[in-house]
Amino acid sequence: MDIPLPSRSALKAQAKRLRQAVNAAGTPLTHAEALETVARQWGARDWNTLSARAQEAPQHGYAPGQRVTGRYLGHRFSGFVKAARLMPGGRHALTLRFDDAIDVVQSRQFSAWRKQVNCVVNGKGRSLRVTSNGQPHVVIHDAWSGE
């Protein structure tokens, strides 16, 4: 299955995250080197080739490593997409990894903490599954911003 090419701005953001991570590990990496590395990861000869193939407008979709915020069972979360798969009908099967664990039980008798969840969301970032009061299990904010 081919992974759709992200927008140019999303690719630049990927290069920025790569540069920050590598520099934090103690290996100097320039922004230009990070752009070239991202280009090779996407199968392009160089950044100019990849940049020409990428669209400027963001495409609707999720990618591993993408930062997201939203609500899970009514609790605010921030985290990242650990895994993503495009499904028929514009839906996305996602594995979300939260920065901080969420207690999903409302009882004072016990707790059930979640650090990672699997979900299926529509094009608006809302899960298809809902709670007994009709609220989506997952709502992802700014789903397509790539920020």
Side-chain angles (χ1 to χ4, degrees):
M1 176 175 143
D2 287 333
I3 300 172
L5 189 62
S7 69
R8 191 173 295 114
S9 60
L11 290 166
K12 286 181 179 181
Q14 182 180 351
K16 182 178 179 180
R17 289 189 306 270
L18 172 66
R19 180 173 44 93
Q20 290 171 340
V22 171
N23 286 339
T27 304
L29 183 70
T30 67
H31 187 65
E33 291 169 331
L35 289 171
E36 295 298 323
T37 301
V38 167
R40 286 189 300 277
Q41 289 174 338
W42 283 96
R45 181 182 69 228
D46 56 30
W47 170 252
N48 289 336
T49 303
L50 180 66
S51 180
R53 287 192 339 217
Q55 297 179 9
E56 191 53 47
Q59 296 176 345
H60 292 270
Y62 296 92
Q66 178 183 355
R67 297 288 305 166
V68 291
T69 61
R71 293 189 171 274
Y72 175 66
L73 296 177
H75 302 279
R76 291 179 191 261
F77 74 83
S78 62
F80 67 93
V81 176
K82 184 175 178 183
R85 181 172 50 93
L86 182 62
M87 299 176 64
R91 297 176 298 161
H92 303 271
L94 304 175
T95 300
L96 301 176
R97 181 88 174 155
F98 303 138
D99 294 335
D100 299 309
I102 296 173
D103 186 1
V104 298
V105 176
Q106 294 183 4
S107 171
R108 293 179 184 218
Q109 304 297 322
F110 67 98
S111 295
W113 295 89
R114 298 284 182 272
K115 182 82 172 169
Q116 180 173 299
V117 295
N118 295 316
C119 61
V120 175
V121 296
N122 63 16
K124 295 182 179 181
R126 295 178 165 274
S127 67
L128 306 178
R129 300 189 68 194
V130 296
T131 61
S132 60
N133 64 358
Q135 296 300 311
H137 285 191
V138 175
V139 177
I140 299 174
H141 300 225
D142 300 319
W144 313 121
S145 70
E147 300 293 323

